[in-house]
Amino acid sequence: RGRFERANGGTIFLDEIGELPPAAQIRLLRVLQSREIERVGGTTTIPVDIRVIAATHRNLEKMVADGAFREDLWFRINVFPVTIPPLRRRQSDIPLLLTHFVARKAEELGFRNPPSIASGAVSTLMQYPWPGNVRELENVVERALIQNRGRALTLDSFTISKQGNGPLAALDDSLGCVFPCLVKPG
């Protein structure tokens, strides 16, 4: 049984739908229109009753205009759009996300208790533009936990690299640091 068949009677989440190649877009459109699937190598159709939630970081409207995404599929999936602004526009979410990721990653790393985060570190992290969005924040937290081995996390815990980073070129990062706003002058 494939994912659509297993989701019958429920919801299926299609992540990064903007990355679907044209052939897969056609197959998905058929499933959404007919509400039936056919197993690979099968000869009979199987009805499915599913709710589809699709996500992407791409601008699908622009992709439709550019011919990179099927317009008919766009209309099928654009029933109830939910737009989540990037993390840099939701700075007030950062303390809660930091707490969540520290607790979760500390547990994954086998720490007895999640370490505390210094308030100065939190306020500085709130000023960082997070070009990698929530995934970048999650990775920064995990890296800080690994490097600090369970000790309290200070601002220095998050000042971790001076290697260049592609997306930050757009931020005019003359220091070449992964976290330019966290680098102490001089």
Side-chain angles (χ1 to χ4, degrees):
R1 291 175 10 134
R3 295 184 190 276
F4 280 87
E5 191 174 354
R6 287 183 294 179
N8 190 30
T11 303
I12 188 167
F13 176 63
L14 304 176
D15 197 12
E16 295 302 347
I17 196 164
E19 305 295 327
L20 278 180
Q25 291 178 34
I26 292 168
R27 289 191 303 271
L28 176 59
L29 180 61
R30 283 191 197 126
V31 170
L32 297 178
Q33 286 177 337
S34 67
R35 297 189 164 272
E36 348 179 274
I37 59 163
E38 190 174 303
R39 289 183 181 152
V40 174
T43 57
T44 59
T45 59
I46 302 167
V48 288
D49 175 23
I50 54 171
R51 177 183 310 123
V52 175
I53 298 176
T56 187
H57 69 283
R58 295 178 151 233
N59 182 337
L60 292 181
E61 288 178 274
K62 182 175 180 338
M63 290 179 69
V64 167
D66 294 344
F69 197 83
R70 292 184 61 96
E71 184 177 37
D72 45 1
L73 179 56
W74 163 245
F75 287 123
R76 277 276 177 208
I77 64 171
N78 193 32
V79 175
F80 192 86
V82 177
T83 303
I84 301 173
L87 189 55
R88 69 182 159 275
R89 292 196 203 138
R90 298 180 289 128
Q91 292 174 331
S92 62
D93 290 354
I94 291 173
L96 185 59
L97 286 167
L98 277 168
T99 302
H100 167 75
F101 287 137
V102 166
R104 192 172 96 199
K105 295 296 179 180
E107 183 179 336
E108 286 176 14
L109 293 168
F111 298 157
R112 286 190 184 140
N113 297 306
S116 62
I117 309 168
S119 61
V122 173
S123 61
T124 302
L125 291 171
M126 288 176 67
Q127 301 307 309
Y128 179 66
W130 298 105
N133 221 344
V134 176
R135 287 182 180 119
E136 181 183 10
L137 176 61
E138 181 179 14
N139 291 336
V140 165
V141 168
E142 184 172 10
R143 192 175 303 125
L145 288 170
I146 291 168
Q147 290 180 331
N148 285 284
R149 297 187 179 110
R151 295 186 304 268
L153 301 174
T154 65
L155 180 57
D156 289 338
S157 304
F158 298 100
T159 308
I160 56 177
S161 177
K162 293 195 181 199
Q163 301 301 314
N165 192 351
L168 290 176
L171 299 174
D172 189 28
D173 176 24
S174 58
L175 296 173
C177 178
V178 174
F179 306 104
C181 67
L182 303 180
V183 174
K184 295 177 185 128

